[in-house]
Amino acid sequence: MRRTVIVLLLALACAAVFLTALPDGDDEESGPACAATTVRSATADARLTGAFGSYGDDGARTDDWTGGDGTHSVRLPGGRVLWLFSDTFLGRVNPPPNPQGQPHAWRDGSAPMVRNSGVVMDRSGSLERTLRTPLFADPAPGQWRWPVAAKVEPRLPGGDEDVLRVLLWTRATGTGPWIYGVPAATEVATLSLPDLRVEGITQISDQRGVPDPARRVLYGTTTVDEGEWTYVFGGTDAQANARPTSHAYVARVPRGGLADPAAWEYWNGSGFSRTGEPRPVLGNGDRKGVGSAFTVVRTGGTYVLLTMAAGAEGLAQVTSYWSCSPTGPWHGPARAFAPPLPKDTADGPSGTAAAAPYNPQAHPAVSGPGCLVVSYDVNWLDPTATNAQAHINRNVELYRPRFVSLRFAREG
């Protein structure tokens, strides 16, 4: 595939602000004390958005990435960045116009889709290649794995051999409100470095014994390091609720222990424990809560959580919360912002919103001093999955990550 070069001159766009986004695995043990922190501004990052568009449109091969959602990233030793995606389209992209006469690049309806993929960015910032797909095999018929947060850590606590851990959400075929699958389990994959070979997958938390799928907790939407601990955030997936507002949870693991189920400790409302029922750290089922995927970053003594807004705004706007601790209390929600959508996709035939952003995720690996790069995915809203996929194929810009660079404001 033709190499697509990304120019990462983000510091110019995000200069003179307080936040310094850290590369994966680094700590910011000193810095400003905890204070109320909100999003000051969000600027579209056309470079990264365009780079993934160019990479997906390149038709040199038919077995690589042409679109995907569930965007996560991790910096690897040596400077490469691995981008992880959930449901992914392969195949070939055709130039405009599409068969409907619209000025969009398009994908044939027979294009293959896999449940997960990985795209490697080389040290120079070029999107280099798609790893063999699917990267993580289905655990059983009717089940699949979606990769979420990933981090480089010692193979064993205190060891000097690093591996890549990738948190996985196992989901199973569902009906009714669960058209995107029923939550089943949290797993952790171990990949060798530098060759990114999957060595094994360990189950951390099996949720299939929880009768109500809306109360099942999957961990790994985001991680934050502090001292010798890795804090792993997760949440419920309130697909069946009238207002799809989920609850956020948090666990912690000693560095190097992500793949050891016995090392996980879960917040129970008063402390971390390896037994007992986990308790949420954010969410009241109404105006406070998170989407099914959210992200957390730390700056100085402040944690900032970015998520789709609760209620009707949850399919249009990103909001934030802040806290002095991973366990809360979380303050907010703050004033939300609407991430830009691809052209000619904002409205459906009746004038209602048809394309929607979701899954905001922070990417410290490609952030510059004084800014934080955040991706969001875009899909087509339709209760019928085949109709949604048809719209995605008619305009391939819909099912690809888009990026914004955030500036933050601090009080006190």
Side-chain angles (χ1 to χ4, degrees), residues 327-396:
T327 61
W330 288 93
H331 306 278
R335 182 170 60 89
F337 68 91
L341 297 171
K343 292 181 179 179
D344 305 321
T345 62
D347 296 319
S350 64
T352 58
Y358 61 105
N359 186 31
Q361 289 295 327
H363 299 281
V366 293
S367 297
C371 73
L372 180 69
V373 173
V374 172
S375 70
Y376 56 98
D377 303 319
V378 180
N379 211 329
W380 188 268
L381 293 181
D382 197 298
T384 304
T386 54
N387 291 342
Q389 183 167 330
H391 281 283
I392 290 168
N393 286 333
R394 291 171 190 168
N395 182 0
V396 296

Side-chain angles (χ1 to χ4, degrees), residues 175-235:
T175 58
W178 304 100
I179 59 173
Y180 299 110
V182 178
T186 301
E187 299 177 312
V188 171
T190 298
L191 282 71
S192 58
L193 293 170
D195 58 345
L196 299 174
R197 177 177 58 86
V198 179
E199 295 182 347
I201 296 176
T202 302
Q203 186 176 97
I204 301 300
S205 173
D206 188 349
Q207 293 288 289
R208 283 166 285 198
V210 179
D212 182 1
R215 295 182 178 275
R216 297 178 181 179
V217 183
L218 299 186
Y219 288 89
T221 183
T222 187
T223 67
V224 179
D225 287 345
E226 182 178 352
E228 294 304 312
W229 295 98
T230 295
Y231 290 89
V232 186
F233 290 84

Side-chain angles (χ1 to χ4, degrees), residues 37-234:
T37 303
T38 58
V39 176
R40 176 185 175 188
S41 65
T43 304
D45 187 337
R47 294 185 182 94
L48 272 169
T49 301
F52 275 95
S54 297
Y55 182 84
D57 288 348
D58 191 323
R61 293 171 53 183
T62 59
D63 62 346
D64 61 358
W65 185 97
T66 63
D69 73 347
T71 311
H72 290 78
S73 67
V74 58
R75 182 171 293 280
L76 304 175
R80 295 180 300 162
V81 176
L82 175 63
W83 295 84
L84 293 163
F85 296 92
S86 297
D87 290 350
T88 300
F89 283 102
L90 307 177
R92 188 182 298 277
V93 169
N94 304 294
N98 66 15
Q100 290 71 38
Q102 299 167 321
H104 305 310
W106 57 284
R107 185 187 300 107
D108 188 271
S110 63
M113 189 187 81
V114 293
R115 287 300 190 178
N116 56 75
S117 66
V119 176
V120 177
M121 175 188 288
D122 71 13
R123 294 176 58 187
S124 70
S126 300
L127 293 173
E128 181 182 46
R129 63 190 177 99
T130 300
L131 299 177
R132 182 176 179 179
T133 57
L135 185 56
F136 308 104
D138 293 346
Q143 300 179 23
W144 61 89
R145 292 175 167 125
W146 283 344
V148 279
K151 73 184 305 291
V152 175
E153 69 169 15
R155 182 181 292 277
L156 297 172
D160 41 5
E161 179 195 2
D162 284 342
V163 293
L164 176 64
R165 310 283 196 200
V166 179
L167 287 125
L168 304 171
W169 287 349
T170 300
R171 301 181 77 93
T173 302
T175 58
W178 304 100
I179 59 173
Y180 299 110
V182 178
T186 301
E187 299 177 312
V188 171
T190 298
L191 282 71
S192 58
L193 293 170
D195 58 345
L196 299 174
R197 177 177 58 86
V198 179
E199 295 182 347
I201 296 176
T202 302
Q203 186 176 97
I204 301 300
S205 173
D206 188 349
Q207 293 288 289
R208 283 166 285 198
V210 179
D212 182 1
R215 295 182 178 275
R216 297 178 181 179
V217 183
L218 299 186
Y219 288 89
T221 183
T222 187
T223 67
V224 179
D225 287 345
E226 182 178 352
E228 294 304 312
W229 295 98
T230 295
Y231 290 89
V232 186
F233 290 84

